[in-house]
């Protein structure tokens, strides 16, 4: 019985938590996260500087005519046409937001609460399609309405998703018909 008593009389075990080291690691991790965030922000600003040669976004004319189609949904961003990962951030085109789209004979009006509104004249429209992704957003096949348009001499793809995805097909058909009619009139 003596060995059992000796074990019970052993010294108290060491402290499990070293608070100084733990706090040091947490401060280091917080600084690292802040550095990564700052670098991402600087990269976003640098991309905007590189794209500063893009002309200003056109505003809607006073009279656009009656609405052919309207849609409520989300604006997911714009990229260089045909390059779905090359996001355009200049003039607020990189800011995701809610969007109200209105298609008239004059063009496509994009109203974005909290972000810059823009207007795409019918003469600047180049095509539209259903796709599954644009920089930073991937959806199911055909879940994204992508409108190709010209801003100055640069072609841009802008991605939209309706609150009612069934509307996408009607938008593609109507926009492509408008583009074909415009090209036939030239």
């Amino acid at each position: 019985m003596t060995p059992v008593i000796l074990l019970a009389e052993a010294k108290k075990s060491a402290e499990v938590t070293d608070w100084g080291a733990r706090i040091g690691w947490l401060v280091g991790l917080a600084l690292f996260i802040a550095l990564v965030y700052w670098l991402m922000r600087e990269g976003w600003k640098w991309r905007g500087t590189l794209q500063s040669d893009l002309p200003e976004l056109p505003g809607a004319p006073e009279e656009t005519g009656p609405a052919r189609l309207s849609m409520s949904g989300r604006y997911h961003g714009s990229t260089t046409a045909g390059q779905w990962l090359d996001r355009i951030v200049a003039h607020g085109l990189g800011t995701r937001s809610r969007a109200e789209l209105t298609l008239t004979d004059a063009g496509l009006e994009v109203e974005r609460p909290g972000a810059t509104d823009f207007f795409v004249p019918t003469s600047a429209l180049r095509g539209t399609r259903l796709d599954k992704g644009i920089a930073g957003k991937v959806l199911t096949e055909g879940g994204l309405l992508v409108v190709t348009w010209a801003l100055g001499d640069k072609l841009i793809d802008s991605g939209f998703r309706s609150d009612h995805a069934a509307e996408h097909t009607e938008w593609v058909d109507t926009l492509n018909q408008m583009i074909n009619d415009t090209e036939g009139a030239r």
Side-chain angles (χ1 to χ4, degrees):
M1 295 257 179
T2 308
V4 174
I5 294 172
L6 291 176
L7 289 176
E9 293 176 10
K11 290 184 178 182
K12 185 178 175 186
S13 63
E15 286 290 320
V16 175
T17 305
D18 181 6
W19 287 106
R22 184 168 285 187
I23 290 171
W25 276 104
L26 288 175
V27 167
L29 180 62
L31 289 173
F32 176 74
I33 290 171
L35 173 68
V36 169
Y37 176 77
W38 179 78
L39 288 171
M40 289 183 349
R41 186 172 162 259
E42 290 300 308
W44 187 268
K45 289 182 354 186
W46 178 249
R47 182 174 279 276
T49 301
L50 292 176
Q51 297 169 349
S52 63
D53 61 335
L54 283 175
E56 287 295 320
L57 295 172
E62 292 291 325
E63 185 59 41
T64 59
R68 294 176 86 172
L69 290 174
S70 63
M71 174 174 79
S72 179
R74 294 205 54 86
Y75 168 77
H76 287 291
S78 293
T79 63
T80 302
Q83 299 176 14
W84 73 285
L85 291 176
D86 185 22
R87 183 186 297 269
I88 295 178
V89 301
H91 307 303
L93 288 174
T95 306
R96 289 188 189 159
S97 62
R98 294 282 307 156
E100 296 289 330
L101 274 65
T102 305
L103 180 65
T104 64
D105 289 333
L108 177 66
E109 186 174 358
V110 181
E111 295 179 15
R112 303 187 303 154
T116 307
D117 298 342
F118 61 96
F119 180 78
V120 181
T122 304
S123 61
L125 292 169
R126 298 294 183 258
T128 187
R129 67 184 185 281
L130 294 179
D131 211 333
K132 63 179 178 181
I134 201 159
K137 187 66 175 179
V138 178
L139 301 163
T140 59
E141 189 66 43
L144 194 67
L145 173 68
V146 178
V147 177
T148 303
W149 55 287
L151 180 59
D153 55 356
K154 185 168 185 100
L155 288 180
I156 296 175
D157 284 342
S158 293
F160 304 94
R161 179 159 174 86
S162 173
D163 290 337
H164 308 286
E167 296 176 333
H168 288 174
T169 306
E170 181 181 11
W171 274 82
V172 169
D173 294 342
T174 304
L175 274 165
N176 283 331
Q177 184 61 46
M178 279 181 65
I179 293 165
N180 289 338
D181 292 346
T182 302
E183 288 175 356
R186 288 184 207 174

